[in-house]
Amino acid sequence: MNQTKDILILAIESSCDETAAAVVKNGTDVLSNVISSQIALHTLYGGVVPEIASRKHIENIDGVIQEALKEAAVKYNDIDAIAVTYGPGLVGALLVGLAEAKALAFATGKPLIGVHHIEGHICANYIQNPSFAPPYVALVVSGGHTHIVYVSDYGVYEILGKTRDDAVGEAYDKVARAIGMGYPGGPKIDAAAKRGNGDAISFPRVFLEEDSYDFSFSGLKSAVLNYINKANMTGQSIVAEDVAASFQAAAIEVLVEKTMRAAEQKNVQRIALAGGVACNSALRQQMQKICQRKGYLLSIPKPILCTDNAAMIGCAAYYEYQKGVRHGLDLNANPSLKLGER
Ligand code: KG4
Ligand code: ZN
């Protein structure tokens, strides 16, 4: 890229339960990445309560942005563009970040760039490994999404498959709740599974049609819930660690196998992981093992860049900025925005 001046982007993310702001230089240099998590609050209810999320975003967003600017030691004048997640996500939560970004863009006269949340997750890989570049296959696994995406170029996405029901993170959270581990369940199942036996219980591996890259996790989730209910009804005790490990083994086997098949079909030897479930230690290990064996290049962001954050939104916006993408102040939140839709 023929670029002489540094491009500084102030990015805002509020699609779910994290209020986040970041300042990112030239796409991959993170000057600040501030995240105010509401997890403790939602834990009380066993999951994210949309109304509470929106209200908390409103309370937190100004402070989070000020902190991001301060940590990066920049002022509004130094910023080249304001980026914001405008979908998918909880509509009330998205609207808080979007209204803030639009107000800032209007007041400062800086361009506004709307970013797709999943595109942000994928782009976290460029922050982690600036030399990592398309083409590659990305496995996007989070609380709301499970996608296999072929990224042929920056900002060019082909969805090869996605979940037909529950997202894998959602299945983790529901199973954890059933075992009494609390919210968010992913990290708790991850930790418990390390002490359990993944072969203890045979839960279904749902591959769907032979050539499909789609997923289905509701059957696996139901199988785990049925197992727990049956044990409760017959007065048998369960070994929570074994249930966690066996559930995780079934989920990850399908994720890994389909991702590797997609890479083979697309004839690429590069794979990226993205989204909150990419924090999972077993998924990281198994992908590393198989990619090493096959000689594939694997990119996995560090955990703080896997879960929701604004640095990833600033990175995605940078490539859009370079292409000349600018949004008007009429940009609206789109809770079911499709990846690649502009
Ligand atoms: O990407 P993210 O922060 O938010 C969404 O866009 O959904 O992902 C949150 C999801 C939650 O379901 C959480 O349980 C899961 O990521 N998660 C994990 C782990 N850490 C977070 N799942 C499995 N293992 C983990 N270590
Ligand atoms: Zn996310």
Side-chain angles (χ1 to χ4, degrees), residues 172-228:
Y172 263 91
D173 293 337
K174 287 177 180 165
V175 165
R177 185 148 57 166
I179 317 180
M181 288 180 176
Y183 174 85
K188 298 198 167 113
I189 297 252
D190 190 355
K194 286 184 186 146
R195 303 187 300 272
N197 173 8
D199 295 323
I201 310 148
S202 172
F203 289 130
R205 274 74 172 151
V206 180
F207 283 96
L208 301 170
E209 303 80 32
E210 205 179 312
D211 55 353
S212 172
Y213 296 109
D214 279 352
F215 297 101
S216 169
F217 289 106
S218 74
L220 170 60
K221 175 197 69 188
S222 301
V224 179
L225 300 188
N226 287 342
Y227 175 88
I228 296 168

Side-chain angles (χ1 to χ4, degrees), residues 4 19 27-28 37 44 70 168 170 181 187 189 221 226 229 260 265 283 288 299 315 323:
T4 47
T19 319
T28 55
S37 176
L44 294 172
K70 195 172 151 206
V168 64
E170 196 181 341
M181 288 180 176
I189 297 252
K221 175 197 69 188
N226 287 342
N229 287 340
M260 297 312 289
Q265 191 227 313
L283 177 62
Q288 259 151 5
S299 169
C315 177
K323 282 190 218 158

Side-chain angles (χ1 to χ4, degrees), residues 107-147:
T108 59
K110 309 286 181 187
L112 176 73
I113 302 173
V115 174
H116 190 290
H117 182 75
I118 295 184
E119 183 164 13
H121 274 303
I122 293 173
C123 288
N125 284 283
Y126 305 138
I127 299 176
Q128 184 68 42
N129 302 304
S131 62
F132 189 80
Y136 59 89
V137 163
L139 173 67
V140 186
V141 276
S142 75
H145 313 280
T146 310
H147 282 45

Side-chain angles (χ1 to χ4, degrees), residues 15 117 121 142 145 275-276 306-308 312:
S15 65
H117 182 75
H121 274 303
S142 75
H145 313 280
C306 285
T307 45
D308 289 350
M312 68 185 196

Side-chain angles (χ1 to χ4, degrees), residues 58-99:
I58 293 174
E59 284 172 23
N60 292 337
I61 199 154
D62 278 330
V64 166
I65 291 171
Q66 290 315 315
E67 207 177 318
L69 291 169
K70 195 172 151 206
E71 238 180 66
V74 298
K75 302 215 160 19
Y76 284 123
N77 261 348
D78 306 317
I79 298 290
D80 294 282
I82 317 267
V84 64
T85 307
Y86 72 110
L90 302 169
V91 69
L94 288 164
L95 280 169
V96 177
L98 190 60

